Amino acid sequence: MDIGIGLPGHAPWTEGTALVEWARRAEARGFSTLSVSDRLAWTTPEPLITLAAAAGATSRIRLLTSVLLAPLRANHALFAKAVTTLDQLAGPGRLHLGLAPGLREDDFQISEVDYGTRGRRLDRLLDRLASVMSGNDLVGPRPATPGGPALLFGGTSRATLRRIASRGTGWIAGDATVQDVRDFAPQLRQAWKEAGRTGSPRIIASVMYALGPNAEAAVADAIGPYYAFAGDEYAQYGISLAYTRPEQITDAIAAFEEVGCDELIFMGNDPDPAQVDLLAGAVGL
């Protein structure tokens, strides 16, 4: 199972250069993937711009949006151009797009994008993206990756299963538990088989972490406000799921690997780039 790391974009970071340093250290320590999350009504950095900076600071590590709120990108041609440009900057095979319809209504309200049609908007975006990636479109440049970046989808709906089986390479489970993967993976593999796909869908889980003497405070400061919209009980639940000790990290790796995950991504909650090295030490990189 691959071990990736996620930028602390939802945490109280103040300097973008720190996020670039995260990228440099993540590659140097041998993590498989660098991921970035997406929110509009929050201080989370824009994913494609952030990964463009990471692409320029690295040369090997995979770059993943986990997950990008695709329906907010209402100009589908412009979005496709941004993707192909980033794919060119990163080089063949490095960029992987994790996409989802989005859950929070406030992200759509401040965008003036209709929340109720977000699923249909995502499907139309995927149609245009496929057209651009195939070269049968006026939008350029062509992607560096033949056929375009790999597509993965978040969520557990029937529409998510359809998108993965028809267009994707796999599934991303955000803020995941082992039970989440255990429950959804059989449905995913069945949908994949029924669609006549060969091989197996890639399964990626992401979890929250912070390490060091201030780990619990960092998790509370980052996750508590981020999930406050859903009430204190949910926020406290999110905090309780985060991994704050090396032995928890080790146990999580074993448990997620046992249920068939192909990659486990640890999302940072403390903006200090030293967190990359602490995690690398905990996982043996």
Side-chain angles (χ1 to χ4, degrees):
M1 184 175 70
D2 292 336
I3 304 297
I5 191 168
L7 292 173
H10 63 283
W13 62 277
T14 56
E15 296 183 7
T17 53
L19 302 183
V20 176
E21 179 60 19
W22 268 70
R24 292 193 183 101
R25 293 195 189 195
E27 179 166 273
R29 293 305 298 260
F31 287 99
S32 57
T33 296
L34 179 76
S35 76
V36 60
S37 57
D38 188 19
R39 278 291 316 284
L40 189 60
W42 198 253
T43 56
T44 313
E46 201 288 318
L48 298 184
I49 292 175
T50 304
L51 290 184
T58 60
S59 60
R60 302 181 305 278
I61 194 168
R62 279 195 298 265
L63 306 173
L64 171 69
T65 58
S66 178
V67 288
L68 187 143
L69 306 180
L72 298 182
R73 278 68 185 183
N75 186 325
H76 300 163
L78 186 59
F79 173 71
K81 188 177 187 70
V83 168
T84 57
T85 300
L86 177 52
D87 193 57
Q88 281 286 347
L89 293 171
R94 290 184 67 199
L95 177 62
H96 292 225
L97 288 179
L99 307 171
L103 178 64
R104 293 276 303 268
E105 289 194 49
D106 53 353
D107 288 325
F108 289 81
Q109 289 169 350
I110 65 176
S111 301
E112 299 183 0
V113 173
D114 180 40
Y115 180 77
T117 59
R118 65 195 188 283
R120 292 192 293 275
R121 288 175 182 272
L122 172 54
D123 288 334
R124 289 197 296 271
L125 179 145
L126 292 172
D127 288 340
R128 188 63 185 272
L129 191 61
S131 175
V132 171
M133 297 305 165
S134 70
N136 299 321
D137 201 294
L138 294 176
V139 175
R142 296 290 300 276
T145 304
L151 301 180
L152 302 104
F153 296 94
T156 57
S157 67
R158 297 171 73 92
T160 296
L161 287 170
R162 170 179 56 79
R163 293 182 186 110
I164 295 172
S166 62
R167 302 176 185 263
T169 59
W171 174 56
I172 297 178
D175 295 340
T177 66
V178 170
Q179 191 61 47
D180 292 334
V181 177
R182 185 179 286 118
D183 290 343
F184 190 70
Q187 302 175 56
L188 174 59
R189 295 188 178 107
Q190 182 63 29
W192 187 270
K193 180 180 179 180
E194 291 176 355
R197 302 286 299 271
T198 59
S200 301
R202 186 168 177 80
I203 297 177
I204 302 175
S206 69
V207 296
M208 298 287 197
Y209 93 96
L211 292 170
N214 299 316
E216 292 185 3
V219 163
D221 290 345
I223 297 177
Y226 191 67
Y227 286 142
F229 75 95
D232 183 66
E233 183 177 351
Y234 186 83
Q236 292 303 315
Y237 173 71
I239 291 170
S240 73
L241 291 179
Y243 299 94
T244 56
R245 298 193 304 274
E247 59 270 24
Q248 291 179 323
I249 299 286
T250 302
D251 290 346
I253 291 171
F256 278 97
E257 187 169 21
E258 184 178 356
V259 294
C261 275
D262 297 292
E263 185 167 28
L264 182 60
I265 296 176
F266 290 91
M267 302 292 296
N269 285 270
D270 181 339
D272 186 350
Q275 288 288 315
V276 179
D277 300 308
L278 288 172
L279 180 62
V283 304
L285 294 176

